[in-house]
Amino acid sequence: MNDELGGILTYKLKGEDEVRQSGVPYAIVRPCALTEEPAGAGLVISQGDTIKGKLSRQDVAELCVELLSQKLALDKTFEVKSTVPFSQPFKVDPQSPPKSRDWQALLVSADLKENVTGKSQPAAAATSSSSHRSESVLFGLDVAQCPPAITDWHSSREASANFEYFGWR
């Protein structure tokens, strides 16, 4: 899958490694396949590049904002997915919207560890879940202070397309 994507997973891993080694506080979130479904589905957080599934873009955005104030995720790398299977669309009943999520409880239940990157997993498991992960979201970065591997990716065609899609620049 990495070859089919032009080696992007290799570049993402290199970027993650540079962030981890930079000394800058971070949380690296590896969302599974992103969807346009609404936020509010049950979530699973894991480490080691072992899960596959889907996740609402809105849930990822809410998680990213929450992580700015959550020390439980400081200097951690983890994956997140919805509990709803790919084959089932997630819909919110307007008469009964999802309750506000307790992000801290979710992070506590995940029992996140430092130095878990997915590299220690058997190659088959890492390759399988990597093919379903759509992107990495990196926190705590000032692009002007990033190591070369990140700034090289930041100026790449693939990054430019992502930034334009999300309205970043």
Side-chain angles (χ1 to χ4, degrees):
M1 180 68 149
N2 190 33
D3 290 338
E4 294 167 3
L5 295 173
I8 190 64
L9 299 176
T10 300
Y11 291 114
K12 288 178 181 183
L13 186 56
K14 286 181 181 180
E16 290 178 5
D17 288 343
E18 290 289 331
V19 170
R20 285 187 205 97
Q21 296 167 10
S22 72
V24 175
Y26 69 88
I28 298 175
V29 179
R30 296 171 169 166
C32 288
L34 298 176
T35 72
E36 299 299 328
E37 296 174 340
L43 299 180
V44 173
I45 293 177
S46 184
Q47 290 183 288
D49 207 9
T50 60
I51 64 174
K52 59 184 176 180
K54 66 179 183 175
L55 184 64
S56 152
R57 283 182 166 83
Q58 188 176 353
D59 278 324
V60 174
E62 290 175 13
L63 172 61
C64 292
V65 169
E66 184 63 30
L67 288 176
L68 295 172
S69 63
Q70 287 289 340
K71 294 186 188 290
L72 292 169
L74 185 62
D75 296 335
K76 309 285 190 327
T77 300
F78 61 93
E79 295 81 40
V80 59
K81 72 170 189 164
S82 163
T83 58
V84 179
F86 271 110
S87 60
Q88 297 176 8
F90 177 71
K91 297 180 182 177
V92 173
D93 177 0
Q95 303 300 321
S96 179
K99 295 180 181 175
S100 180
R101 194 178 312 272
D102 184 346
W103 291 103
Q104 183 166 359
L106 185 62
L107 291 167
V108 166
S109 69
D111 192 28
L112 299 175
K113 308 282 189 237
E114 288 187 24
N115 303 316
V116 179
T117 65
K119 293 181 196 177
S120 59
Q121 298 299 316
T127 302
S128 170
S129 59
S130 293
S131 66
H132 295 282
R133 190 177 63 244
S134 59
E135 61 193 281
S136 295
V137 181
L138 307 176
F139 295 93
L141 296 180
D142 174 355
V143 174
Q145 297 177 347
C146 289
I150 293 173
T151 55
D152 289 350
W153 178 84
H154 182 267
S155 62
S156 73
R157 188 181 82 221
E158 193 269 337
S160 180
N162 279 340
F163 291 157
E164 287 173 19
Y165 177 84
F166 290 107
W168 303 335
R169 263 276 173 222

